[in-house]
């Protein structure tokens, strides 16, 4: 709390293990899994970035970014205990955590691949973060390229009684088309907010 106010950070990001999908997707999909690799270079300027990550996924193959250019402190690793320590230091009471790496696997024209990434991510969040749901609220990405599968995933998430939002993603093939309505019905029946993106 800051000055007696309950403080919520609404734009945190959950850093998934870089090999999460290569190790957990169904075996027949692992060769198309989203994954990253870390590598180090000599800085171009004094005090410049040294540690980088290279992304491997269709459409973004080889995309490279300085791993943590936004911080001069310790390197975040997605550890919930470390996240809570940083929140305490900053006076933040609760935080909404959005996926990071996972989003690259969800915007696919291959429904099976997208839904598999969503299921793996959701299972990981349940395993790793459920003891911390009182302060950490990870969102759950849900591709809606197949409405029945999306509804089933929303219902699975709701049944876990997790205190977080469901986040649906539109398939690129219907980007400018009408949105399916059954997710709105599920939103009402599960009493969980659903945000389309």
């Amino acid at each position: 709390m800051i000055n007696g106010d309950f403080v919520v950070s609404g734009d945190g990001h959950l850093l998934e293990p870089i090999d999460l999908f290569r190790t957990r997707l169904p075996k027949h999909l692992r060769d198309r899994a989203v994954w990253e690799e870390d590598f180090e270079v000599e800085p171009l300027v004094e005090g410049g970035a040294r540690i980088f990550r290279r992304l491997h996924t269709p459409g973004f193959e080889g995309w490279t970014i300085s791993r943590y250019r936004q911080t001069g402190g310790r390197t975040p690793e997605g550890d919930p205990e470390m996240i809570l320590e940083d929140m305490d230091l900053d006076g933040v009471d609760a935080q909404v955590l959005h996926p990071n790496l996972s989003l690259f696997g969800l915007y696919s024209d291959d429904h099976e691949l997208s839904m598999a990434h969503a299921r793996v991510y959701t299972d990981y969040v349940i395993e790793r973060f459920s003891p911390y749901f009182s302060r950490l609220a990870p969102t759950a990405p849900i591709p809606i390229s197949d409405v029945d599968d999306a509804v089933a995933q929303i219902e699975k998430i709701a049944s876990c009684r997790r205190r977080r939002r469901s986040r649906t993603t539109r398939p690129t093939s219907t980007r400018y088309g009408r949105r399916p309505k059954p997710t709105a019905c599920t939103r009402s029946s599960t009493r969980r907010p659903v945000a389309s993106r």
Side-chain angles (χ1 to χ4, degrees):
M1 287 198 176
I2 299 176
N3 299 326
D5 292 326
F6 188 80
V7 178
V8 177
S9 171
D11 193 24
H13 287 267
L14 190 156
L15 300 175
E16 308 92 330
I18 60 177
D19 64 348
L20 178 67
F21 302 107
R22 289 180 74 188
T23 58
R24 293 192 182 196
L25 279 180
K27 289 185 179 178
H28 71 284
L29 295 173
R30 289 183 185 173
D31 63 326
R32 295 187 292 147
V34 173
W35 64 284
E36 290 179 306
E37 65 178 314
D38 289 337
F39 65 97
E40 195 168 331
V41 298
E42 287 297 319
L44 298 175
V45 296
E46 186 176 332
R50 295 181 305 104
I51 302 172
F52 288 79
R53 276 200 168 161
R54 182 176 295 123
L55 180 66
H56 298 282
T57 189
F60 294 93
E61 182 62 41
W63 184 64
T64 303
I65 189 165
S66 169
R67 186 166 173 203
Y68 300 108
R69 67 176 185 258
Q70 74 276 15
T71 180
R74 62 186 177 177
T75 301
E77 296 290 345
D79 180 342
E81 291 89 4
M82 186 184 289
I83 294 169
L84 290 172
E85 287 174 16
D86 289 343
M87 288 169 55
D88 290 340
L89 183 66
D90 293 335
V92 174
D93 297 293
Q95 184 169 186
V96 177
L97 295 170
H98 303 288
N100 211 33
L101 177 63
S102 305
L103 293 178
F104 288 101
L106 298 168
Y107 296 102
S108 163
D109 290 332
D110 182 331
H111 171 71
E112 181 187 18
L113 183 63
S114 295
M115 189 55 77
H117 277 88
R119 288 177 180 135
V120 166
Y121 175 80
T122 299
D123 291 345
Y124 169 73
V125 165
I126 292 167
E127 291 168 18
R128 187 72 177 107
F129 286 84
S130 60
Y132 309 95
F133 283 163
S134 63
R135 292 189 66 197
L136 299 176
T139 59
I142 302 167
I144 57 172
S145 46
D146 180 286
V147 176
D148 292 337
D149 281 353
V151 169
Q153 185 70 359
I154 291 168
E155 289 170 345
K156 172 188 173 185
I157 291 164
S159 73
C160 293
R161 298 185 184 271
R162 284 182 279 164
R163 298 177 60 194
R164 59 153 182 63
R165 300 185 140 190
S166 300
R167 178 186 200 173
T168 58
T169 57
R170 255 187 308 188
T172 55
S173 59
T174 62
R175 183 171 180 91
Y176 301 103
R178 291 178 51 196
R179 291 185 189 184
K181 299 295 183 198
T183 55
C185 299
T186 300
R187 176 180 60 229
S188 301
S189 67
T190 62
R191 297 187 177 155
R192 296 283 191 260
V194 177
S196 284
R197 182 170 184 155

